[in-house]
């Protein structure tokens, strides 16, 4: 690393840096601005990524960002359309690929109707592309079946914020308010490993004297910052928040004036919460009554405070209501809509925020509009130049589309920028179901485990090549400049969608020649919606280094803090919800045969299904295989030594991973990251149960057993 730095310093001084490319990191929701430097040494090019100033990450980069170019420039990138013939992929031309798509789509539509075709999208694509995915499904294919990988990610937090606040924007405040909060609750979020470059905001708060409460079954790089760590039993967040609220009410620390003026539903919440005994909650959660009390007093007493959650609370079969219960605490203490008071669902993927606003969801139209609302339908039909009746109605969630493929109702799928065989629960089932498709097109940079199942794979472009807007975790709409020459015959995702639409005879609705042109239409489509981008233009984003939505007109400077005067429901009030201790959809409980809880998540050096980061030599060197984190007492009980291969089994399947014995996890719980495929694909163990409200799978709780190999 040092020698590399010295090399670039020397090159920079001697003006040998031949090229530099401005872009943004392809990985997480912070969207760090970066620049790729290219130097030439004889015939060999050398690369280095450096951070660039911006209001969110302030020029910082984490290890993934620094090495992102290693996968983008990797020799395994696909550079031509690939058609599977007798089980092997053969390169074909774009003309051949498009002709085949037309034939197969027409054939399937004629025999089975438009809804036999499905579209599976992504939150790692630009706003323009997310917008176009929704339009492509409804206008070019005329299908109701579209959903995306964000269903597995932000759906619980999005549904909770929509139902409680009336609108879903990940953070209600800008990150810059965090250092001034006197208390911070971090619930099921591992910022230090998952959004490392925003960790300094929390560290600064701590340095300023903030009391930090972490809620996580494991000690992580994030919980190290905590003043108090509640090491709860996985899946019991809803009960824990009832306990915390119970103490706050008991100690008369609620903000009665705020509740009276700004919220509905409090009486019912109080009745339910006070009907529970703290000892009962302590029993369910594994957190002591003393610690529940300490957390409650620490959160309620100061004037300012903020709550953050992420997938630990949300990827549960009761994720939606568990988050609403967390928000009950915020509202009951009046800590929202004020300086250094608010909530943040820490968004996941690069465009996890924007891609959930513009119509990729099963029931959604652009601007966060509803596909079942007649006024909303009319607005979008008018922008798109079609009749309202031509718009399909709502479809089903991502995993449910896969179930419909299995049942034979859906015959074809367009998959863009996702790897569902590795990211969806019940991986064996998913792989079987996708193998039943009579026509499967995957658009990717690489041959992922899922792309290998496709009939046709189309090569897409990376963050270095493809320009467009990305909305970061603050709701800040940023412009990712990208100017590197496209690899081989790869095409941008938006170009691919337009080409296919044209082939299918819908060309007049998809006649864009740049991402910016699509954005101009997106602005109009979003106008007047919850996520209003009308006042945002490429020019304004460049000028202001990003603009936070809602931004209804060109003279508007964006909205940093939400809900100062009122919430976004029609009556302007927040809607609290009484949430029972135990979920309506029963979670798996441990038993004699499957005596341990499994929870899953991430490590700092890898990203999601690992297709990209496992290509990077620097990142794979840090974690070259998956692992099982388990407590020494558990290891002893099941006769498992450190650094040995272990078989982990659930009712759905098994994986083999290496043990990593550590005091940092609960004795009744083990942890496995999900960045590996095939035999190390932890989703082979996860069940198909979904949250009934938002259809999020329960990635964070399964019952498993261990055996040494
Ligand atoms: N390095 C890295 N960074 C990433 C990603 C990545 O893959 N790698 N992915 C990005 C994406 S798409 C996302 S969605 C985010 C995810 O970001 P996070 O949600 O922060 O990450 P996870 O590791 O999935 O889960 C967070 C924590 O929840 C804890 N947890 C498990 N079960 C429970 C529970 O029942 N209750 C509570 N309270 N906590 C629990 C886990 O121990 C873990 O420490 O990260 C983004 N950033
Ligand atoms: N057990 C368990 N499972 C989980 C989770 C968990 O915590 N535990 N977390 C869930 C979460 S939060 C998420 S977000 C999902 C993510 O799940 P996925 O979306 O399936 O994961 P990725 O690895 O991002 O897959 C992206 C694919 O698109 C390709 N790609 C990258 N950039 C582009 C592009 O610009 N265009 C195109 N066309 N392709 C591109 C990559 O090569 C890769 O194959 O996984 C979920 N699954
Ligand atoms: S992974 Fe996230 S924090 Fe790390 S450089 Fe990329 S955008 Fe920034
Ligand atoms: Mo995610």
């Amino acid at each position: 690393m040092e020698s590399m730095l010295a090399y670039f310093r020397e090159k920079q001084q001697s003006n040998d840096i031949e090229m530099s490319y401005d872009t943004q990191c392809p990985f997480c929701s912070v969207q760090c601005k970066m620049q790729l430097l290219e130097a030439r040494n004889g015939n060999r090019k050398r690369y280095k990524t450096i951070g660039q100033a911006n209001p969110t990450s302030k020029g910082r980069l984490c290890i993934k960002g620094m090495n992102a170019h290693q996968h983008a420039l990797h020799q395994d990138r696909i550079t031509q359309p690939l058609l599977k013939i007798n089980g092997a992929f053969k390169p074909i031309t774009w003309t051949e690929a498009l002709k085949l798509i037309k034939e197969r789509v027409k054939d399937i539509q004629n025999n089975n109707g438009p809804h036999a075709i499905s579209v599976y999208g992504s939150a790692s694509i630009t706003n323009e592309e997310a917008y176009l995915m929704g339009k492509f499904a409804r206008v070019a294919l005329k299908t109701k079946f579209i959903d995306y990988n964000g269903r597995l990610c932000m759906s619980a937090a999005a549904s909770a914020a929509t139902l409680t606040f009336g609108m879903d924007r990940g953070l209600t405040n800008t990150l810059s308010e965090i250092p001034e909060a006197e208390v911070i609750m971090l619930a099921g979020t591992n910022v230090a490993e998952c959004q490392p470059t925003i960790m300094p905001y929390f560290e600064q708060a701590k340095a300023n004297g903030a009391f930090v409460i972490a809620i996580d079954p494991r000690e992580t790089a994030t919980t190290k910052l905590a003043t108090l760590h509640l090491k709860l039993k996985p899946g019991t967040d809803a009960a824990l928040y009832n306990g915390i609220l119970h103490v706050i009410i008991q100690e008369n620390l609620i903000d009665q004036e705020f509740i009276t003026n700004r919220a509905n539903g409090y009486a019912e919440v109080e009745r339910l919460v006070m009907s529970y005994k703290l000892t009962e909650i302590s029993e369910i959660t594994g957190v002591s009554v003393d610690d529940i009390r300490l957390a409650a007093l620490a959160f309620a007493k100061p004037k300012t405070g903020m709550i953050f959650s992420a997938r630990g609370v949300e990827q549960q079969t009761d994720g939606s209501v568990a988050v609403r219960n967390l928000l009950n605490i915020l509202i009951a203490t009046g800590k929202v809509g004020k300086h250094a008071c608010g909530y943040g669902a820490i968004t996941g993927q690069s465009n996890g925020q924007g891609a959930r606003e513009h119509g990729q969801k099963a029931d959604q139209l652009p601007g966060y509009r509803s596909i079942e609302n007649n006024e909303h339908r009319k607005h979008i039909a008018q922008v798109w130049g079609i009749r309202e009746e031509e718009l399909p109605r709502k479809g089903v969630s991502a995993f449910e589309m896969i179930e419909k493929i299995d049942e034979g109702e859906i015959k074809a799928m367009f998959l863009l920028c996702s790897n569902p065989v590795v990211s969806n629960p019940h991986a064996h089932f998913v792989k079987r179901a996708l193998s039943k498709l009579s026509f499967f097109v995957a658009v990717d940079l690489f041959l992922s485990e899922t792309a290998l199942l496709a009939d046709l794979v189309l090569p897409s472009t990376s963050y270095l090549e493809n320009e467009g807007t990305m909305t970061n975790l603050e709701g800040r709409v940023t412009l990712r400049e990208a100017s590197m020459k496209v690899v081989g015959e790869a095409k941008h995702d938006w170009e691919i969608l337009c080409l296919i639409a044209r082939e299918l005879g819908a060309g007049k609705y998809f006649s864009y020649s740049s991402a910016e042109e699509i954005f101009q239409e997106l602005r109009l489509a979003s106008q007047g919606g919850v996520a209003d981008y009308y006042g945002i233009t490429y020019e304004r984003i460049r000028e202001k280094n990003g603009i936070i939505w809602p931004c209804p007109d060109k003279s508007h400077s964006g909205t940093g803090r939400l809900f100062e005067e009122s919430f976004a429901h029609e009556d302007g009030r927040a809607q609290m919800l009484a949430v029972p201790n135990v979920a309506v959809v029963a979670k798996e409980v441990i038993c004699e045969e499957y005596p341990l809880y499994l929870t899953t998540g991430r490590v700092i050096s890898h990203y999601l299904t690992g297709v990209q980061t496992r290509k990077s030599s620097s990142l794979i060197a840090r974690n070259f295989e998956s692992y099982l984190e388990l407590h020494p007492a558990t290891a002893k009980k099941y006769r498992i030594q450190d650094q040995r291969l272990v078989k982990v089994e659930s009712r759905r399947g098994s994986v083999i991973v290496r043990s990593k014995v550590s005091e940092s996890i609960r004795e009744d719980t083990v942890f496995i990251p999900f960045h590996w495929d095939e035999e190390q694909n932890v989703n082979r163990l996860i069940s198909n149960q979904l949250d009934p409200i938002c259809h999020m799978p329960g990635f964070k709780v399964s019952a498993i057993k261990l055996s040494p190999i």
Side-chain angles (χ1 to χ4, degrees):
M1 194 66 206
E2 233 351 90
S3 68
M4 187 83 168
L5 279 174
Y7 175 82
F8 274 95
R9 226 172 273 132
E10 194 185 297
K11 285 280 171 194
Q12 233 158 356
Q13 276 157 11
S14 64
N15 287 329
D16 275 356
I17 299 286
E18 287 168 5
M19 292 295 282
S20 64
Y21 305 93
D22 288 330
T23 186
Q24 286 170 206
C25 177
F27 300 127
C28 87
S29 57
V30 184
Q31 280 305 285
C32 300
K33 289 247 176 219
M34 50 167 64
Q35 197 176 46
L36 179 70
L37 305 178
E38 183 183 279
R40 201 179 274 276
N41 186 1
N43 273 338
R44 227 176 123 220
K45 284 181 185 166
R46 294 186 75 174
Y47 293 94
K48 181 181 161 53
T49 296
I50 58 170
Q52 296 281 287
N54 70 86
T56 306
S57 66
K58 319 242 182 218
R60 294 182 283 264
L61 287 185
C62 82
I63 182 81
K64 286 184 299 307
M66 286 176 203
N67 292 293
H69 58 273
Q70 292 183 347
H71 81 264
L73 302 172
H74 198 278
Q75 59 187 25
D76 287 356
R77 280 277 302 272
I78 42 179
T79 57
Q80 266 181 290
L82 299 173
L83 176 67
K84 197 184 276 161
I85 304 171
N86 298 327
F89 283 113
K90 300 260 156 35
I92 60 170
T93 65
W94 277 101
T95 312
E96 288 166 331
L98 291 168
K99 190 165 160 263
L100 177 77
I101 291 173
K102 182 180 178 173
E103 277 166 22
R104 298 298 290 125
V105 166
K106 293 289 171 203
D107 182 42
I108 290 166
Q109 284 177 336
N110 287 341
N111 290 315
N112 307 281
H115 306 302
I117 300 187
S118 60
V119 176
Y120 192 117
S122 175
S124 295
I125 54 180
T126 64
N127 286 317
E128 292 78 356
E129 290 163 345
Y131 169 79
L132 220 54
M133 284 290 278
K135 185 173 177 184
F136 175 75
R138 277 90 178 215
V139 177
L141 292 172
K142 302 183 166 53
T143 179
K144 65 180 172 186
F145 288 126
I146 172 168
D147 210 54
Y148 79 127
N149 64 9
R151 182 68 65 176
L152 317 172
C153 180
M154 299 313 298
S155 65
S159 119
T162 303
L163 294 168
T164 292
F165 296 145
M167 111 187 234
D168 157 42
R169 195 187 75 191
L171 303 192
T172 59
N173 306 52
T174 53
L175 291 166
S176 61
E177 294 190 34
I178 293 172
E180 270 132 69
E182 294 161 277
V183 55
I184 290 173
M185 198 184 282
L186 299 170
T189 169
N190 186 3
V191 176
E193 298 197 62
C194 295
Q195 295 82 12
T197 57
I198 63 164
M199 202 54 192
Y201 292 100
F202 296 97
E203 287 161 350
Q204 189 57 53
K206 184 80 187 281
N208 293 347
F211 191 102
V212 178
I213 304 162
I215 303 170
D216 196 307
R218 306 184 300 138
E219 282 159 36
T220 64
T222 306
T223 65
K224 285 199 175 74
L225 188 74
T227 324
L228 174 67
H229 177 191
L230 309 181
K231 219 167 164 176
L232 85 174
K233 204 179 284 178
T236 64
D237 288 86
L240 179 64
Y241 307 147
N242 279 332
I244 291 175
L245 199 50
H246 180 108
V247 176
I248 292 174
I249 295 169
Q250 201 177 37
E251 297 292 327
N252 205 13
L253 291 169
I254 57 167
D255 184 339
Q256 190 59 62
E257 197 185 325
F258 188 88
I259 295 169
T260 308
N261 294 335
R262 301 207 43 192
N264 296 325
Y266 175 74
E268 183 55 23
V269 172
E270 178 180 305
R271 197 198 55 73
L272 182 72
V273 160
M274 297 317 285
S275 75
Y276 292 130
K277 289 196 182 67
L278 285 182
T279 46
E280 188 184 335
I281 287 174
S282 171
E283 183 70 25
I284 296 172
T285 58
V287 177
S288 72
V289 170
D290 283 351
D291 277 355
I292 295 174
R293 275 193 172 284
L294 195 55
L297 300 184
F299 190 78
K301 280 186 172 168
K303 241 180 103 198
T304 57
M306 298 176 95
I307 296 182
F308 296 87
S309 77
R311 306 311 84 77
V313 182
E314 301 158 20
Q315 287 174 327
Q316 308 273 359
T317 52
D318 67 343
S320 169
V321 294
V323 174
R324 293 196 70 184
N325 217 13
L326 192 54
L327 296 179
N328 285 338
I329 299 174
L330 196 73
I331 294 164
T333 54
K335 289 191 171 68
V336 54
K338 303 170 187 168
H339 178 72
C341 292
Y343 168 66
I346 311 262
T347 293
Q349 300 169 83
S350 53
N351 197 22
Q353 179 68 53
R356 71 182 195 253
E357 302 160 1
H358 306 301
Q360 259 190 118
K361 290 193 204 174
D363 59 353
Q364 190 200 50
L365 290 172
Y368 233 128
R369 288 187 168 84
S370 163
I371 203 161
E372 295 297 330
N373 176 308
N374 284 339
E375 289 309 308
H376 294 184
R377 292 169 63 84
K378 272 187 207 138
H379 174 80
I380 296 301
Q382 185 251 323
V383 174
W384 287 352
I386 60 171
R387 281 178 299 119
E388 185 260 313
E389 311 82 78
E390 291 177 78
L391 269 180
R393 293 273 162 179
K394 71 173 177 196
V396 299
S397 73
F399 188 76
E400 291 167 301
M401 287 202 300
I402 295 172
E403 290 179 324
K404 286 192 182 294
I405 293 171
D406 181 61
E407 291 154 11
E409 185 181 339
I410 295 177
K411 311 266 182 215
M413 179 176 266
F414 278 95
L415 170 74
L416 188 135
C417 194
S418 183
N419 184 13
V421 171
V422 187
S423 55
N424 270 256
H426 206 354
H428 283 305
F429 164 81
V430 172
K431 198 162 182 171
R432 267 199 314 273
L434 295 182
S435 309
K436 292 185 184 176
L437 283 165
S438 53
F439 188 51
F440 183 12
V441 182
V443 188
D444 206 300
L445 308 175
F446 297 103
L447 284 175
S448 68
E449 192 177 345
T450 308
L452 284 173
L453 300 176
D455 299 296
L456 179 65
V457 183
L458 302 176
S460 179
T461 55
S462 76
Y463 72 104
L464 290 167
E465 299 141 78
N466 187 16
E467 171 192 78
T469 62
M470 308 287 283
T471 304
N472 79 4
L473 80 170
E474 292 183 287
R476 198 184 296 274
V477 185
T478 63
L479 178 59
R480 182 179 77 197
E481 313 273 2
S483 57
M484 192 177 264
K485 194 172 156 286
V486 167
V487 174
E489 289 175 29
K491 291 185 188 295
H492 305 314
D493 290 320
W494 66 264
E495 285 178 324
I496 296 173
L497 294 174
C498 293
L499 282 174
I500 299 175
R502 239 167 271 164
E503 195 73 24
L504 296 176
K508 70 169 175 168
Y509 305 108
F510 293 84
S511 60
Y512 314 98
S513 57
S514 67
E516 188 169 3
E517 259 180 51
I518 305 169
F519 191 78
Q520 297 295 12
E521 187 180 298
L522 179 159
R523 290 177 51 222
L524 290 174
S526 77
Q527 189 175 21
V530 172
D532 194 333
Y533 282 43
Y534 184 67
I536 305 174
T537 62
Y538 274 31
E539 196 186 333
R540 290 196 74 206
I541 301 176
R542 285 196 180 105
E543 209 173 279
K544 298 168 77 83
N545 217 343
I547 298 176
I548 303 185
W549 71 261
C551 178
D553 61 72
K554 283 191 191 170
S555 60
H556 196 286
S557 56
T559 313
R561 191 186 303 140
L562 296 173
F563 315 136
E564 286 178 301
E565 305 294 324
S566 69
F567 291 97
H569 284 303
E570 230 154 66
D571 64 0
R573 299 165 68 84
Q575 183 62 51
M576 300 174 86
L577 176 78
V579 180
N581 277 344
V582 179
V584 188
V585 173
K587 296 182 191 180
E588 236 178 10
V589 280
I590 48 178
C591 57
E592 216 169 298
E593 197 184 353
Y594 297 100
L596 292 166
Y597 289 110
L598 162 73
T599 193
T600 64
R602 293 151 167 86
V603 298
I604 190 168
S605 53
H606 285 290
Y607 187 68
L608 300 179
T609 69
V611 177
Q612 291 158 282
T613 48
R614 283 185 280 114
K615 298 278 181 332
S616 151
S617 53
S618 306
L619 296 175
I620 195 75
R622 297 187 155 227
N623 295 80
F624 68 94
E625 60 178 358
S626 186
Y627 66 88
L628 164 80
E629 181 179 320
L630 79 170
H631 192 273
T634 314
K636 193 165 167 221
K637 189 165 171 194
Y638 297 98
R639 295 187 310 282
I640 289 164
Q641 290 175 312
D642 196 17
Q643 298 299 321
R644 296 295 164 84
L645 290 180
V646 184
K647 185 172 184 189
V648 188
E649 281 172 273
S650 79
R651 290 185 176 84
R652 273 75 48 186
S654 65
V655 296
I656 294 174
V657 284
R658 199 172 295 281
S659 61
K660 186 171 168 183
V661 177
S662 157
E663 300 263 349
S664 66
I665 190 160
R666 288 174 60 89
E667 279 185 43
D668 59 3
T669 305
V670 300
F671 170 83
I672 305 179
F674 84 107
H675 312 296
W676 282 267
D677 57 6
E678 308 283 355
E679 272 63 48
Q680 297 190 342
N681 178 353
V682 72
N683 277 321
R684 291 184 173 185
L685 309 182
I686 311 285
S687 103
N688 58 358
Q689 280 196 326
L690 305 177
D691 179 317
I693 299 165
C694 61
H695 308 272
M696 169 71 89
F699 290 122
K700 295 294 196 255
V701 185
S702 312
I704 55 103
K705 63 177 166 192
L706 302 179
S707 44
I709 287 189

